[in-house]
Amino acid sequence: DAKTTQPPSMDCAEGRAANLPCNHSTISGNEYVYWYRQIHSQGPQYIIHGLKNNETNEMASLIITEDRKSSTLILPHATLRDTAVYYCIVRVTSNSNSGYALNFGKGTSLLVTP
Amino acid sequence: DSGVTQTPKHLITATGQRVTLRCSPRSGDLSVYWYQQSLDQGLQFLIQYYNGEERAKGNILERFSAQQFPDLHSELNLSSLELGDSALYFCASSHRDRGEAFFGQGTRLTVV
């Protein structure tokens, strides 16, 4: 799996958009970008994933650059409950039924302040 | 609620002892993954089972073992425990290979 680079920490004011960057310059054509977050000591939570098109769901938006070497997770209106460690993970999604383990790096610790 | 259930939530035991952590995956999920999270190591993948068979191994110590039963629940056995084994242990499950893994709330193991 391609390696990812994320800033260790970021701050965001409540109500503002939080833009979390991720660099994955060695990504391969068949590798997806996944985002998870972990609120203090809870189990990690899936947020969103994409291959090359931008994606949006009820939690966030994922913007992937055209060359796919970087991406940005956007939380449009951050709340205090969004304070967490955010992990950007690049991995292959195969046609296998068995799934594939995730390799978590150190992630970005996002602090949302009042 | 992710649908993944882990028991117990907390466990305190002495060095040299053996413990068993239990995980019930989401209904219908055939894959179960175990992760360890300690303060200085982050989230480390230990082992994956798929429909009862071991599918992938990560950084799992020989003192640790796991299995997945016919009803798809899984157990992680930790033996000859050391102080350094104190950590949060998470179980996750997934349906096929859709990428989204769902994590339980973890078991906090403290070895004293």
Side-chain angles (χ1 to χ4, degrees):
Chain A
D1 294 338
K3 181 176 174 168
T4 61
T5 304
Q6 299 178 254
S9 64
M10 293 182 64
D11 291 346
C12 177
E14 188 178 20
R16 297 294 187 110
N19 298 295
L20 292 95
C22 179
N23 182 289
H24 32 79
S25 58
T26 61
I27 193 170
S28 301
N30 62 346
E31 289 181 312
Y32 286 69
V33 180
Y34 287 82
W35 283 84
Y36 280 74
R37 73 179 181 183
Q38 185 177 25
I39 297 169
H40 181 63
S41 294
Q42 295 182 20
Q45 177 188 24
Y46 165 81
I47 301 173
I48 199 168
H49 76 282
L51 182 62
K52 50 182 149 182
N53 297 321
N54 298 336
E55 302 287 346
T56 296
N57 63 19
E58 65 279 2
M59 288 183 68
S61 294
L62 174 60
I63 308 298
I64 303 174
T65 58
E66 193 168 341
D67 63 7
R68 302 209 322 122
K69 294 185 176 182
S70 65
S71 60
T72 301
L73 178 75
I74 301 172
L75 308 178
H77 305 286
T79 71
L80 300 179
R81 287 178 293 182
D82 292 321
T83 291
V85 178
Y86 287 77
Y87 297 96
C88 170
I89 301 166
V90 172
R91 52 146 286 192
V92 172
T93 295
S94 70
N95 291 323
S96 163
N97 286 337
S98 64
Y100 199 87
L102 297 164
N103 290 316
F104 290 84
K106 296 191 182 302
T108 295
S109 179
L110 175 68
L111 175 64
V112 181
T113 56
Chain B
D1 181 8
S2 67
V4 177
T5 304
Q6 290 187 247
T7 56
K9 286 188 169 49
H10 301 276
L11 197 49
I12 301 175
T13 190
T15 55
Q17 295 298 304
R18 172 189 170 94
V19 297
T20 297
L21 312 184
R22 182 187 169 102
C23 170
S24 295
R26 290 190 321 151
S27 177
D29 285 357
L30 299 179
S31 278
V32 169
Y33 312 79
W34 286 97
Y35 290 83
Q36 178 193 53
Q37 186 173 35
S38 53
L39 280 175
D40 57 348
Q41 291 291 325
L43 272 159
Q44 299 285 319
F45 167 65
L46 295 178
I47 196 165
Q48 176 199 358
Y49 276 81
Y50 174 73
N51 203 21
E53 294 187 359
E54 181 185 303
R55 188 54 63 101
K57 257 186 176 178
N59 301 319
I60 189 166
L61 299 172
E62 285 191 11
R63 299 183 286 109
F64 296 179
S65 65
Q67 53 185 326
Q68 186 179 27
F69 295 86
D71 67 353
L72 300 177
H73 91 270
S74 178
E75 293 181 355
L76 180 67
N77 301 295
L78 314 176
S79 61
S80 303
L81 284 167
E82 302 174 359
L83 297 178
D85 298 327
S86 296
L88 271 167
Y89 291 85
F90 289 105
C91 167
S93 72
S94 69
H95 180 64
R96 294 181 169 233
D97 187 28
R98 294 176 56 185
E100 306 105 275
F102 295 85
F103 284 76
Q105 289 305 298
T107 294
R108 182 175 294 279
L109 173 67
T110 303
V111 183
V112 297

